[in-house]
Amino acid sequence: MLNENSKVDVLIIGGGLAGLTSALHLSKYKLNVIVVEKNGYPKHKVCGEYISNEVLPYLSFLDFNPFKLGAKSIDKFELTTPKNKVIQTKMKLGGFGISRYTLDNALAKKAKDSGVMFVKDAVTEVKFKNDLFSISTKDNKRFVAKTVIGAYGKRSSLDVSLKRKFIQKESPYLAVKEHLKGDFPNDLVALHNFNGGYCGLSKVENDVINACYIVDYTAFKKYKNIEAFQEQVMYKNTALKAVFENATPLFDQPLTISQISFASKNTIENHMLMCGDTAGMIHPLCGNGMSMAISSAQMASRLIISFMEGNINRRTLEREYAKHWNLAFKSRLKTGRIVASLFRMHGFSEVIMGVLKCFPKLLPQIIKRTHGKPLLVE
């Protein structure tokens, strides 16, 4: 039985998608794993809640089926501009919609049933010495681990402790999420642009619409509250107005998160393998951050298993993880940054839409460049 005095094989900082799928994968190979997560389950998170089908073979390998939880199958994509130009396309690979409230809770339960130990706490310091990690927490717990995965999300005080470069730069983005009850197609993910940002809409389980938007905080703070911003800015996009005005909010207040950074991050920090948003965040405009988190968890888990079996040393573990991560995601992140920067240019989204309408094969190609192929499994 694991306890805080045990020397564990793997300690995972963060119990989101990357942390939970890593924990499940590693537990299948009988490694002892501790997940340190500051929040309990279930919990809503600011997230687009759309996942590319590329991860389904891997989730099957983990004996996890999101459709048993009510996930919605999605194969259509719609894009609109601030001046209400519209284009739709069929997505070749497609995806599914499921809330983080349901998904994370189910993954955590499965991991616990597989023998993973969960500690509700926050990591404050990680030291590496003599080929071992020593980990300290806010509640003064101490752990020793052979390997550590950093999967604690977009930003954390731990990033400050680790002196990560991106944390020193201000980021002007604010993200807002709501769950709504109303009419919206089950098989559609829509991306609606407005001046200063964009909003993604898709269905999740229980016929709930997930609405998640990101906006430049400088533009947002000119308005006294979220409702005023939505009515005076977002509703100029008639597609957004139609959904929001005819739907019932399910949260008492929308969820928000600020200081979102799309800057480049190191995939290895102090010998830790960084996964999910901790390693790099794709613009929500491209709607594929959840599958990237799951994919990076698979990469890290495979290499850690090889390391623990003595097939590779730590130097090779770190080098191979960085190489595989860059091969899989660097191009996606670059495409996301380019697309987002083009849509931020005043009026340029209308020009882009004109080009996409003239060359309809371009949009599926852009989607393809921000998504991966179905994950191979053992």
Side-chain angles (χ1 to χ4, degrees):
M1 179 69 178
L2 288 177
N3 58 61
E4 66 178 272
N5 298 312
S6 304
K7 181 168 76 174
V8 299
D9 295 322
V10 189
L11 185 137
I12 301 171
I13 308 171
L17 277 185
L20 292 170
T21 45
S22 293
L24 268 177
H25 190 151
L26 295 165
S27 67
K28 281 178 71 78
Y29 286 80
K30 308 305 179 186
L31 298 181
N32 47 49
V33 180
I34 288 180
V35 174
V36 181
E37 165 57 43
K38 63 183 180 181
N39 296 308
Y41 302 96
K43 179 178 171 57
H44 287 290
K45 293 186 177 182
V46 178
C47 181
E49 300 186 334
Y50 162 83
I51 310 180
S52 165
N53 281 339
E54 67 196 72
V55 304
L56 287 178
Y58 180 47
L59 292 180
S60 179
F61 164 76
L62 296 176
D63 302 314
F64 189 86
N65 183 351
F67 295 101
K68 287 185 177 180
L69 301 171
K72 300 291 187 182
S73 183
I74 296 169
D75 63 1
K76 294 185 181 69
F77 175 72
E78 180 178 85
L79 178 69
T80 69
T81 69
K83 293 186 177 180
N84 301 303
K85 291 182 180 176
V86 183
I87 190 170
Q88 271 200 4
T89 189
K90 189 92 168 175
M91 295 191 294
K92 186 175 180 181
L93 183 60
F96 58 96
I98 187 168
S99 74
R100 294 293 300 275
Y101 185 91
T102 294
L103 180 59
D104 290 22
N105 187 52
L107 287 168
K109 184 179 185 305
K110 188 170 181 62
K112 289 173 185 174
D113 291 344
S114 300
V116 175
M117 178 182 172
F118 281 74
V119 177
K120 191 176 178 182
D121 204 343
V123 171
T124 55
E125 187 177 53
V126 180
K127 292 182 179 179
F128 182 78
K129 187 177 180 181
N130 298 327
D131 210 35
L132 286 173
F133 293 90
S134 57
I135 299 98
S136 304
T137 74
K138 187 177 180 181
D139 290 344
N140 296 314
K141 293 186 175 69
R142 300 285 187 272
F143 301 97
V144 176
K146 296 174 186 175
T147 55
V148 172
I149 293 174
Y152 48 83
K154 300 171 181 64
R155 62 192 297 122
S156 162
S157 58
L158 187 58
D159 291 315
V160 178
S161 172
L162 292 168
K163 298 179 181 178
R164 302 186 78 190
K165 290 182 180 179
F166 87 92
I167 203 74
Q168 300 167 25
K169 303 173 185 176
E170 285 192 10
S171 181
Y173 298 108
L174 169 76
V176 181
K177 169 184 160 176
E178 295 192 58
H179 274 180
L180 309 168
K181 204 72 174 178
D183 291 329
F184 192 83
N186 287 342
D187 60 353
L188 177 70
V189 59
L191 186 69
H192 300 305
N193 286 268
F194 53 85
N195 289 329
Y198 43 86
C199 178
L201 297 172
S202 58
K203 276 279 192 74
V204 295
E205 73 281 359
N206 299 322
D207 279 329
V208 169
I209 305 167
N210 180 66
C212 191
Y213 60 89
I214 191 163
V215 60
D216 188 298
Y217 186 70
T218 305
F220 174 80
K221 68 180 182 181
K222 295 176 183 176
Y223 301 86
K224 64 179 182 179
N225 54 37
I226 288 173
E227 291 77 14
F229 177 78
Q230 289 179 178
E231 290 173 5
Q232 296 177 49
V233 178
M234 291 174 60
Y235 288 8
K236 289 180 180 178
N237 183 307
T238 54
L240 279 176
K241 183 178 181 180
V243 172
F244 276 84
E245 285 197 334
N246 293 288
T248 304
L250 299 179
F251 297 161
D252 292 334
Q253 293 291 332
L255 305 181
T256 62
I257 183 170
S258 60
Q259 285 288 298
I260 297 172
S261 175
F262 299 105
S264 297
K265 302 176 183 178
N266 293 330
T267 53
I268 306 293
E269 291 282 4
N270 192 30
H271 302 282
M272 294 186 289
L273 307 190
M274 300 308 211
C275 285
D277 289 345
T278 315
M281 186 175 169
I282 194 167
H283 276 267
L285 187 69
C286 302
N288 206 30
M290 292 172 75
S291 64
M292 283 178 56
I294 294 169
S295 300
S296 65
Q298 184 197 46
M299 284 180 205
S301 299
R302 281 176 160 178
L303 287 164
I304 286 172
I305 290 163
S306 187
F307 171 73
M308 295 300 297
E309 291 176 346
N311 298 320
I312 57 174
N313 59 25
R314 190 176 299 278
R315 184 177 178 183
T316 303
L317 165 68
E318 295 174 13
R319 185 184 68 238
E320 288 298 301
Y321 179 68
K323 182 178 80 173
H324 282 83
W325 197 96
N326 284 326
L327 282 172
F329 304 129
K330 200 167 185 179
S331 176
R332 295 194 207 185
L333 293 174
K334 184 178 180 181
T335 300
R337 283 192 289 268
I338 291 170
V339 171
S341 65
L342 291 175
F343 271 90
R344 280 199 304 270
M345 294 181 189
H346 185 68
F348 201 69
S349 59
E350 311 300 329
V351 176
I352 297 172
M353 186 66 84
V355 173
L356 293 174
K357 282 183 172 290
C358 290
F359 303 96
K361 291 184 179 180
L362 274 178
L363 186 55
Q365 286 301 312
I366 294 171
I367 294 171
K368 185 178 179 181
R369 286 188 63 84
T370 58
H371 291 60
K373 296 178 181 178
L375 296 180
L376 299 175
V377 296
E378 288 81 349

